[in-house]
Amino acid sequence: MQTPPLGRVLVVDDDPTVAEVVAGYLDRAGYDVDRAADGPAALDRADAHGPDLVVLDLMLPGMDGLEVCRRLRARGPVPVIMLTARGDEDERILGLEVGADDYVTKPFSPRELVLRVESVLRRARAATAPKPTGPLRAAALTVDPAARRAVKAGVELALTAREFDLLVFFLRHPGRAFSREELMRQVWGWDFGDLSTVTVHVRRLRGKIEDDPAAPRLIQTVWGVGYRLDPDPDLDLGSGPHGDASRSDRAPDVPQPDRAPDVSRPDRAPDVSRPDRAPDVSQPDRAPDVSRPDGAPDVSQPDRAPEVPGPDRAPEAPRPDRAPADWTRPRA
């Protein structure tokens, strides 16, 4: 009895050697494989046979892989694994933005590609399986997993298939922190892979569901761990710079010095040891000094004692220039 194929895969690559190797490995793994060498042919094959997954080269003659991916996703939720010879992050992000579920950089291992095909198909089939759940809500978000529809404040969000799955996973596990490895295993279905894929998707998802993606309140970064969804942003569960449950503005704290008087601080209670709080008999400007009776001269201080009367106060003793000539000096 012949075993039914695991699924139908469309391989789109203008390099016949790459297309033949990939198709051969997928065929031996149990898949029914179709091939196309350019964008228009790929769209025609997809319309004719309805593949379960498309392995799509980014650099195609005429219509490039990004445009083919856009048109494929516009026709239905078919999973796409993109092949690219470019290792630049911007190219990977662009491919993910247009709806690719995964990417593989050339040169690649055909066996690894087969494993990725299995993982993407497993995840896609699990996402389409009916689950007994109603709409999921968090803050202004309402997500209906059955209808695959996400709404924020009455406006429907344009999420890719992977972004939607990631959001649903977070909403089904609110308040729990997940590492990027866990998210890759639970959402992507991979036991290995480039963890920057998770980072890119989280950043893109924040850009669509957060009021301020630069200061996210729903999907929090848990430093040293990964990410966590806080269903109620006003209830800051906190970890790291985005929130901390130990903050004094979240719960009453032990009284701080600026909340209750501290007798050890001179600006809170008088300190008898300070001269500005109580008189100090050692300071002459605070208490009378018996050595200085009020109104009496202090002979110990020349600047306070009376001087010998000057010419403007009392007649002075006769001076030689005002008195008669000295009788002891002979007259001229």
Side-chain angles (χ1 to χ4, degrees):
M1 182 178 179
Q2 187 176 4
T3 304
L6 299 176
R8 179 181 294 274
V9 179
L10 173 60
V11 178
V12 185
D13 199 310
D14 61 325
D15 187 334
T17 302
V18 173
E20 183 177 355
V21 171
V22 171
Y25 270 83
L26 290 171
D27 181 70
R28 286 192 292 273
Y31 294 94
D32 188 5
V33 183
D34 200 0
R35 291 167 55 180
D38 54 43
L43 295 175
D44 291 341
R45 296 292 182 115
D47 290 338
H49 301 287
D52 298 308
L53 183 142
V54 178
V55 177
L56 178 62
D57 185 23
L58 179 62
M59 302 298 294
L60 293 174
M63 184 186 301
D64 66 8
L66 294 176
E67 182 60 28
V68 174
C69 184
R70 290 190 187 96
R71 298 193 184 189
L72 286 172
R73 297 309 298 266
R75 302 181 186 192
V78 56
V80 176
I81 296 178
M82 192 162 285
L83 303 180
T84 174
R86 304 174 184 176
D88 186 63
E89 182 182 3
D90 292 338
E91 292 294 334
R92 298 198 301 268
I93 292 174
L94 186 58
L96 296 171
E97 285 179 351
V98 299
D101 294 84
D102 192 12
Y103 62 88
V104 177
T105 303
K106 296 180 181 178
F108 57 87
S109 165
R111 294 178 59 188
E112 177 185 350
L113 178 60
V114 171
L115 292 175
R116 288 179 180 265
V117 168
E118 293 176 357
S119 297
V120 171
L121 279 176
R122 182 168 60 250
R123 181 202 56 82
R125 289 163 178 166
T128 58
K131 292 182 176 63
T133 181
L136 303 171
R137 293 180 175 85
L141 285 174
T142 301
V143 179
D144 186 348
R148 295 192 69 82
R149 185 170 181 263
V151 177
K152 177 185 177 183
V155 179
E156 186 166 357
L157 302 177
L159 302 178
T160 66
R162 188 73 72 179
E163 290 167 353
F164 187 91
D165 294 340
L166 182 60
L167 177 58
V168 168
F169 181 81
F170 275 131
L171 289 172
R172 285 177 173 160
H173 303 86
R176 178 179 170 185
F178 291 93
S179 67
R180 293 191 299 171
E181 291 85 354
E182 289 177 304
L183 291 173
M184 177 165 284
R185 185 166 54 252
Q186 297 292 335
V187 180
W188 276 257
W190 307 340
D191 292 325
F192 61 91
D194 188 350
L195 295 179
S196 65
T197 302
V198 178
T199 305
V200 169
H201 277 81
V202 170
R203 183 167 71 242
R204 297 297 305 173
L205 183 58
R206 280 173 169 168
K208 297 179 181 181
I209 68 172
E210 299 281 1
D211 294 331
D212 182 4
R217 293 170 58 82
L218 285 171
I219 300 179
Q220 300 281 350
T221 297
V222 183
W223 298 109
V225 180
Y227 304 100
R228 181 194 66 236
L229 183 133
D230 290 344
D232 184 359
D234 294 329
L235 183 61
D236 197 347
L237 300 178
S239 68
H242 298 295
D244 186 355
S246 65
R247 289 169 49 185
S248 58
D249 57 349
R250 295 301 176 188
D253 198 357
V254 177
Q256 301 296 320
D258 57 349
R259 296 186 181 180
D262 186 355
V263 296
S264 65
R265 293 176 56 176
D267 57 348
R268 295 300 176 185
D271 186 354
V272 297
S273 66
R274 294 182 54 173
D276 55 349
R277 297 300 178 184
D280 186 353
V281 297
S282 65
Q283 296 192 25
D285 55 349
R286 295 299 178 184
D289 188 352
V290 296
S291 66
R292 294 175 56 190
D294 293 339
D298 184 359
V299 296
S300 65
Q301 297 188 24
D303 56 344
R304 305 295 292 274
E307 298 178 356
V308 177
D312 55 346
R313 296 186 181 181
E316 296 180 351
R319 297 176 59 180
D321 57 347
R322 294 187 182 181
D326 191 352
W327 63 270
T328 62
R329 297 176 60 184
R331 294 173 179 238

